[in-house]
Structures are given as C-alpha cells and as structure tokens.
Amino acid sequence: MQTFDIKGTKRECGGKKAAKELRRNGNIPCIVYGGEEEIAFSVPEADFRGLIYTPNVYIVNLTVDGKAMKAILKDIQFHPISERILHVDFLQISDDKPVTIGVPLNIVGHSEGVKAGGKLQVEMRKLNVKGLVANLPDVLDVDITSLGLGQVIKVGDLHYDNLEILNAKSAVVAAVKSTRAAVAAAAAAAADATAAKK
C-alpha cells in the first residue's frame, strides 16, 4: 500500500479554545492512539490535501516532534457549513498486527451483460478488509467479465489472498441491469430464433 508522510507538532489538549486558535493559525488539531500513549498534535491544514481529498488510501508515515510511527487515518471531522477540516484522528499500527481499513475497488473487464445492452451499476466503492500491513493492496480488483444481464456480484463472491473481508457477504458490489434496448434486443433475437425453426 502507498505511504504518505505527515509531520506534526505536539500540543497540549487545551480544549475548544486552544483548538480554535490552532485552526485560526492554519493548523489542524489531531490525535494518534493505539500505541503506548495517546499523542495530541497539530498539522498545517495544507499538508492534508494529498491525503484526504483523494480516492486513494494510504499508510501514513507520521512523525511528531521527531518520533516516527506508522498510522492510518481513522476519522475526520468537517465543519458542517464551510467543510473545512476541524479534527483528525489517527490509529497507530504495527507490521505484526492486523489492520482494518477500507480499500478502494477497481472494476476490471468488459461485462457480457453490458455488451448485450445492459447497464453496469457499481454499488460499492470500497471494501473493509483486515490484514497485515504488508498484505494491504492499493486497490482490490473486481473482474466483471462474466457478469451477464440481470446478474450481480456480491461480497461473498470475492476472495483475496491473506485478507479477511468484513462487509456482509450478501452486499451487492456490482450488477448489470436490463435496459429497454437490451430487452428489445433479446426479444428480437428470440423472434429470429423462432422464425429460423419454422
């Protein structure tokens, strides 16, 4: 999985007033937990652009006052009106402990159902998986080549080496819906087949 570097400055948990002051100066209050201790710190708001405003998922190389650790983004709070970042939570991780993370799906192949006039509907953009850091991919491929008209791919149909999928097995990942054109084409093909038999 790709990595992203973030450098922070340790801060004291000073409540809402201190957090507002940080934001006023262009910094975002953050916290990292999951290690030996929780660490409160701040990061310049501009440093988050490449991490948050992207469909990609990263392992974060987090450095706070010279202390380096690996982490994942766990939660982001946005202002309800301005949508500016208010607070970011990180979870510290290690190479020898499984991590739970959402990994983007990558649809590959050309569906038989789409070729027949159907419309592909992708219902899920990410899968929640659990695995060791070394086994976490940048994306999870979903091959739709054999997906016919009216058929679906469910979470239970997917399997990835060294990863446990945490979503419900019955959840639909992708489907090919029949369209008017597809129904008309199928009816025409059936009529032609009937006529050929006569």
Side-chain angles (χ1 to χ4, degrees):
M1 182 169 277
Q2 299 176 80
T3 59
F4 191 95
D5 295 341
I6 287 279
K7 289 185 178 180
T9 304
K10 203 167 182 178
R11 65 182 176 90
E12 299 299 325
C13 288
K16 291 183 178 179
K17 188 175 181 181
K20 280 185 179 179
E21 184 66 25
L22 279 170
R23 293 186 202 106
R24 196 176 294 120
N25 294 323
N27 296 300
I28 303 300
C30 307
I31 194 162
V32 58
Y33 53 87
E36 294 176 1
E37 60 173 336
E38 287 189 358
I39 302 173
F41 61 101
S42 64
V43 174
E45 184 175 9
D47 292 359
F48 280 112
R49 286 196 188 112
L51 179 65
I52 292 174
Y53 304 108
T54 172
N56 300 328
V57 178
Y58 296 96
I59 299 294
V60 178
N61 293 323
L62 182 60
T63 306
V64 180
D65 286 357
K67 182 178 180 180
M69 64 198 89
K70 287 183 180 178
I72 56 173
L73 203 57
K74 203 63 181 173
D75 188 42
I76 311 166
Q77 295 173 28
F78 292 97
H79 191 281
I81 297 171
S82 69
E83 294 189 354
R84 288 186 64 183
I85 304 167
L86 296 178
H87 193 276
V88 179
D89 290 3
F90 292 92
L91 174 66
Q92 188 174 341
I93 61 175
S94 60
D95 291 336
D96 58 350
K97 288 184 180 178
V99 177
T100 298
I101 193 168
V103 178
L105 295 178
N106 179 43
I107 304 298
V108 296
H110 298 285
S111 161
E112 294 296 333
V114 171
K115 288 178 185 176
K119 183 178 181 182
L120 177 67
Q121 290 190 334
V122 179
E123 306 290 347
M124 298 177 72
R125 298 292 175 184
K126 285 184 180 180
L127 276 183
N128 293 320
V129 299
K130 186 176 182 181
L132 295 175
V133 172
N135 296 327
L136 296 175
D138 293 330
V139 296
L140 295 167
D141 288 338
V142 178
D143 189 348
I144 61 166
T145 305
S146 61
L147 194 60
L149 272 174
Q151 293 183 334
V152 299
I153 294 175
K154 296 183 178 181
V155 170
D157 300 323
L158 303 176
H159 303 281
Y160 301 98
D161 292 341
N162 303 312
L163 293 176
E164 178 187 354
I165 302 174
L166 303 179
N167 302 74
K169 289 189 183 335
S170 59
V172 174
V173 176
V176 175
K177 304 287 187 181
S178 292
T179 61
R180 287 181 185 175
V183 171
D192 289 344
T194 304
K197 288 178 182 177
K198 290 180 179 178

